[in-house]
Amino acid sequence: MKALVAVDGSEESENALAYATDIIDAMDGSITVVHAIDPTAYDEGGSEPTASLWEDQRLIIESVEDAEQRGIDITDDAADLAADLGHDVEVELLYGNPIREITNYAEDEGFDTIFVGHRGRSERAGLMLGSVAKSLVERATVPVTVVR
């Protein structure tokens, strides 16, 4: 079995990777960890004043270089976590809209399944921002496992 694990540096994506290693080890499969770089918009918690509906989020515009370095750090951390769990993984940076790029990559490269973490944002934030996990489930042509 060939599995793709989408990571974003969150605790939930670490949970998805840990879960995937358990499943894939039992099936003698392989894991590729991916992170999609979309430097046009990035939201994260911060201490600066916000102008949004959510107190803990702000909009940051990143340069491609900053977004790429962040992606490298995220995939390196994921590879380290997988190694700690006794599993070697391949890593890949994708460029563009995460939903489109992850699902296209999974289909083009012949993956059997996708694992993704779910942050569990409030319903209101989910309606405004969308949910990557939900969108992956809707767009993917392979089974998607959503892990909390």
Side-chain angles (χ1 to χ4, degrees), residues 68-123:
E68 189 170 66
Q69 185 57 55
R70 183 174 45 82
I72 290 168
D73 293 344
I74 288 170
T75 55
D76 285 350
D77 289 347
D80 291 344
L81 174 61
D84 290 346
L85 296 169
H87 203 290
D88 290 328
V89 297
E90 293 186 29
V91 298
E92 188 73 37
L93 290 178
L94 307 176
Y95 294 83
N97 176 284
I99 294 128
R100 183 179 59 247
E101 296 305 321
I102 291 167
T103 55
N104 287 349
Y105 184 76
E107 186 172 341
D108 293 346
E109 298 298 319
F111 285 91
D112 300 301
T113 189
I114 299 171
F115 291 87
V116 63
H118 184 318
R119 287 188 178 183
R121 289 188 172 142
S122 71
E123 185 176 335

Side-chain angles (χ1 to χ4, degrees), residues 9-148:
S10 67
E11 181 180 340
E12 293 81 7
S13 70
E14 290 177 359
N15 293 342
L17 178 56
Y19 185 74
T21 61
D22 288 343
I23 301 296
I24 297 306
D25 282 345
M27 301 186 81
D28 196 31
S30 65
I31 294 176
T32 299
V33 171
V34 298
H35 177 77
I37 298 169
D38 187 3
T40 56
Y42 175 63
D43 80 60
E44 80 175 17
S47 58
E48 291 91 10
T50 61
S52 72
L53 299 173
W54 312 280
E55 290 182 25
D56 64 340
Q57 297 172 352
R58 62 188 171 177
L59 184 64
I60 299 172
I61 306 300
E62 288 186 304
S63 69
V64 173
E65 295 81 15
D66 289 345
E68 189 170 66
Q69 185 57 55
R70 183 174 45 82
I72 290 168
D73 293 344
I74 288 170
T75 55
D76 285 350
D77 289 347
D80 291 344
L81 174 61
D84 290 346
L85 296 169
H87 203 290
D88 290 328
V89 297
E90 293 186 29
V91 298
E92 188 73 37
L93 290 178
L94 307 176
Y95 294 83
N97 176 284
I99 294 128
R100 183 179 59 247
E101 296 305 321
I102 291 167
T103 55
N104 287 349
Y105 184 76
E107 186 172 341
D108 293 346
E109 298 298 319
F111 285 91
D112 300 301
T113 189
I114 299 171
F115 291 87
V116 63
H118 184 318
R119 287 188 178 183
R121 289 188 172 142
S122 71
E123 185 176 335
R124 184 175 183 184
L127 289 172
M128 296 296 289
L129 297 172
S131 165
V132 171
K134 180 180 182 294
S135 296
L136 287 175
V137 168
E138 291 172 351
R139 182 179 167 102
T141 58
V142 299
V144 178
T145 300
V146 179
V147 181
R148 285 197 179 269

